[in-house]
Amino acid sequence: MSESFLNVRGLQAGYGRAQVLFDVSFDVKPGQVVTLLGRNGMGRSTTIKCLFGMLPALGGEIRIGGERVNGLPSHRIARKGLAIVPEGRQIFTELTVEENLVATARNASPAGSQRQKASWGLDRVYGFFPRLQERRNNLGWQLSGGEQQMLAIGRALMTNPSLLVLDEATEGLAPVIREEIWRTLDQLKQDGLAQIVIDKNVRRLMDLADQHYVIEKGRIVWSGDSRALRASPDIVHQYMGV
């Protein structure tokens, strides 16, 4: 267990009287890309909310760098090396691109974590996304959907995370922008940044990720690497409906 940056064991959670997660367990090692697969409403986004302390766990355990984080507030969990690119982007629409990027920037490295090759600052983000540099003085609401998604990723990277979580990062984008986002995630993997990715494009996920976990009705019902998933088209059809 100490080899993994993130350990989730027997996670349970819900909303009011409705329990959504019953038994979710998975690991993310430093530099590893992991997916959470399944249909909408099966518990993937609820799992992410629990990781970030936005929803309290009813049972089970979450450990980051070996430290139990159940019950910690979101800001303390983020400081341990987690960053999120949320569904719907959720940028600050009344701030400029550059103000969005520096709003949550941090340079500290979580203790005991394995970091990518270089730290993230404005210059590196602008080098990664030249369009953001061109638009750095524009307000968030003036950006296209693709530019907003780049900004959401850049903002998360400015926290210098050890684990980047992306919830439907390509949803609703034009095909050419989606391809750019996939290339971005591949480059981040090459740079050694661990990721948890939720997305509907199973083909691209199999190209990107090291390990896949399928969630059905709040439980992990299948796990394996991309080779195993490609060899199991019935799993894709049964649990993802594609």
Side-chain angles (χ1 to χ4, degrees), residues 150-166:
M150 294 174 195
L151 179 56
I153 295 172
R155 181 181 61 183
L157 293 174
M158 286 286 287
T159 69
N160 279 284
S162 296
L163 173 60
L164 181 65
V165 180
L166 302 105

Side-chain angles (χ1 to χ4, degrees), residues 3-232:
E3 295 180 356
S4 297
F5 176 71
L6 173 71
N7 306 102
V8 179
R9 291 289 178 271
L11 184 61
Q12 302 176 43
Y15 305 91
R17 296 182 179 180
Q19 187 166 346
V20 176
L21 302 182
F22 295 89
D23 182 17
V24 172
S25 300
F26 64 93
D27 301 315
V28 183
K29 297 178 181 179
Q32 186 180 39
V33 178
V34 165
T35 73
L36 299 181
L37 301 175
R39 296 186 182 91
N40 291 341
M42 292 296 104
R44 298 174 302 163
S45 292
T46 299
T47 300
I48 298 306
K49 290 179 181 178
C50 290
L51 295 185
F52 283 86
M54 295 181 284
L55 182 70
L58 300 175
E61 187 173 70
I62 301 170
R63 288 183 176 271
I64 298 174
E67 180 181 350
R68 191 175 190 272
V69 298
N70 294 57
L72 291 183
S74 297
H75 69 275
R76 289 188 58 188
I77 293 174
R79 288 175 184 167
K80 295 184 181 301
L82 268 63
I84 187 169
V85 180
E87 185 176 9
R89 300 181 280 273
Q90 300 182 28
I91 63 166
F92 302 117
T93 57
E94 298 301 322
L95 298 182
T96 67
V97 166
E98 194 150 306
E99 288 169 341
N100 266 275
L101 291 173
V102 301
T104 57
R106 60 185 296 271
N107 296 317
S109 298
S113 69
Q114 176 175 316
R115 306 306 302 277
Q116 58 271 26
K117 296 176 182 177
S119 62
W120 288 94
L122 281 175
D123 289 344
R124 190 177 180 198
V125 170
Y126 286 151
F128 213 64
F129 295 116
R131 185 60 176 161
L132 293 184
Q133 185 169 22
E134 296 171 11
R135 304 277 272 166
R136 63 185 180 276
N137 294 319
N138 287 90
L139 297 176
W141 65 266
Q142 296 175 312
L143 305 181
S144 68
E147 290 166 345
Q148 289 186 0
Q149 190 60 274
M150 294 174 195
L151 179 56
I153 295 172
R155 181 181 61 183
L157 293 174
M158 286 286 287
T159 69
N160 279 284
S162 296
L163 173 60
L164 181 65
V165 180
L166 302 105
D167 193 354
E168 302 286 4
T170 68
E171 182 74 14
L173 300 179
V176 65
I177 301 299
R178 287 202 299 267
E179 287 303 309
E180 185 168 354
I181 297 300
W182 287 116
R183 287 194 296 270
T184 296
L185 301 189
D186 185 64
Q187 183 60 58
L188 292 174
K189 179 183 179 179
Q190 293 180 40
D191 287 347
L193 179 59
Q195 302 169 55
I196 296 175
V197 185
I198 295 175
D199 201 275
K200 296 181 177 65
N201 191 328
V202 179
R203 180 182 65 83
R204 294 307 301 262
L205 290 175
M206 287 192 290
D207 290 340
L208 173 72
D210 303 295
Q211 185 75 10
H212 308 273
Y213 296 89
V214 177
I215 300 181
E216 173 79 4
K217 296 181 180 178
R219 294 179 172 86
I220 300 291
V221 295
W222 185 92
S223 65
D225 61 16
S226 291
R227 182 177 180 179
L229 187 58
R230 287 191 178 95
S232 306

